């Protein structure tokens, strides 16, 4: 699936599918110690301001949030350094045409600080965004969230997170099966443990020492990782 630049609403999958893939990444990279950190990078659920959204921060140039609202609605917002929105003149109103409920799902302090340069909202089964000027070249959606817009891209990215390459037998299949379970809503404790064990096996067999595998160290770890994906 090719992502337009700037992004188009049809580039994004159904909000439920996007949430499921994002949550799968958060579970696959879950670490009990990192759950205690105030400043984080990677994928996680819930923020320091008490929100219940999914977050992604690559630790460098891309930061995104997906929140769900009542009635199968959702808001995707964020910023990537590839975006031209923040430097465009005159300023683009990212909430032009947005229904009132969208305003209540955004961090307006971040919007006013220019730390949000991309806003899409999901309602009645489709994504929408504010209209862009014809000469705007990029809103950051592709570089920021492109890897979550299709199953193939998501599998490729999650393999890259664990430094799996084509020589790692079983890696693609394990990641694809885990994402499929997440999208179908069939994740169980057994599915999570099996995935974590397979990642650890591959990393050990191929001597991939970094990043750390999602080892299930205790029953509480297993419960937390499973609950994270099942909230999809």
């Amino acid at each position: 699936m090719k992502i337009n630049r700037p992004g188009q609403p049809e580039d994004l999958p159904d909000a439920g599918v996007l949430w499921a893939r994002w949550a799968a990444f958060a579970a696959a990279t879950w670490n009990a110690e990192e759950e205690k950190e105030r400043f984080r990078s990677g994928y996680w659920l819930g923020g320091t301001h008490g929100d219940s959204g999914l977050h992604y921060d690559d630790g460098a140039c891309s930061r995104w949030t997906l929140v769900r609202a009542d009635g199968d609605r959702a808001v995707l917002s964020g910023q990537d350094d590839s975006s031209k929105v923040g430097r465009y003149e005159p300023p683009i109103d990212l909430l032009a045409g947005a229904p009132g409920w969208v305003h209540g799902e955004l961090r307006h302090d971040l919007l006013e600080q220019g730390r949000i340069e991309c806003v899409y909202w999901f309602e009645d089964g489709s994504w929408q965004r504010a209209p862009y000027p014809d000469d705007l070249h990029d809103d950051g959606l592709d570089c920021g969230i492109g890897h979550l817009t299709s199953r193939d891209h998501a599998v490729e990215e999650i393999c890259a997170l664990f430094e799996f390459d084509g020589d790692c037998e079983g890696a693609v299949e394990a990641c694809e099966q885990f994402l499929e379970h997440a999208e179908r809503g069939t994740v169980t404790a057994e599915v999570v443990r099996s995935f974590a064990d397979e990642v650890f096996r591959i990393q050990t067999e191929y001597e991939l020492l970094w990043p750390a595998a999602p080892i299930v160290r205790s029953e509480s770890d297993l419960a937390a990782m499973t609950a994270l994906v099942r909230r999809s």
Side-chain angles (χ1 to χ4, degrees):
M1 179 178 178
K2 182 179 179 181
I3 305 301
N4 292 286
R5 293 193 180 189
Q8 298 292 332
E10 57 268 23
D11 290 329
L12 292 167
D14 178 88
V17 173
L18 180 60
W19 182 280
R21 288 177 187 154
W22 201 319
F25 272 70
T29 56
W30 188 87
N31 183 299
E33 293 302 315
E34 290 182 358
E35 293 296 307
K36 306 171 186 177
E37 297 293 331
R38 177 178 174 83
F39 300 104
R40 302 182 60 176
S41 61
Y43 304 83
W44 71 94
L45 176 68
T48 57
H49 293 266
D51 70 84
S52 57
L54 284 165
H55 297 263
Y56 166 56
D57 189 323
D58 72 351
C61 60
S62 201
R63 53 213 64 85
W64 297 81
T65 300
L66 178 65
V67 296
R68 294 193 293 190
D70 293 338
D72 294 324
R73 299 179 297 188
V75 177
L76 170 67
S77 63
Q79 179 189 48
D80 186 273
D81 283 1
S82 64
S83 174
K84 310 301 181 186
V85 172
R87 298 182 292 277
Y88 193 89
E89 292 293 341
I92 299 171
D93 181 2
L94 295 176
L95 296 179
W101 65 268
V102 174
H103 295 251
E105 302 297 337
L106 283 172
R107 288 274 307 277
H108 283 267
D109 56 332
L110 299 182
L111 194 62
E112 293 167 1
Q113 294 165 14
R115 295 166 62 189
I116 292 178
E117 297 185 21
C118 188
V119 178
Y120 288 72
W121 57 90
F122 185 84
E123 186 174 31
D124 296 330
S126 63
W127 288 97
Q128 301 293 330
R129 63 157 169 77
Y132 290 158
D134 291 339
D135 59 348
L136 179 71
H137 298 301
D138 203 338
D139 64 354
L141 186 73
D142 183 15
C143 289
I145 297 297
H147 62 285
L148 294 174
T149 57
S150 76
R151 172 85 65 80
D152 288 345
H153 289 163
V155 169
E156 182 179 346
E157 180 66 17
I158 204 168
C159 283
L161 284 175
F162 295 122
E163 299 186 353
F164 295 158
D165 58 27
D167 294 329
C168 298
E169 184 177 352
V172 171
E173 292 79 5
C175 294
E176 187 166 21
Q177 287 174 12
F178 187 60
L179 283 164
E180 181 178 359
H181 276 294
E183 292 177 23
R184 293 172 59 185
T186 55
V187 171
T188 63
E190 290 74 20
V191 168
V192 173
R193 185 183 293 279
S194 176
F195 173 71
D197 289 348
E198 182 66 359
V199 170
F200 182 70
R201 179 196 68 77
I202 296 168
Q203 288 194 320
T204 301
E205 181 175 336
Y206 292 91
E207 299 181 347
L208 303 174
L209 302 180
W210 182 262
I215 303 171
V216 180
R217 298 175 178 83
S218 67
E219 289 303 314
S220 61
D221 286 352
L222 180 63
M225 294 166 73
T226 305
L228 179 56
V229 189
R230 295 192 68 175
R231 289 177 188 175
S232 303

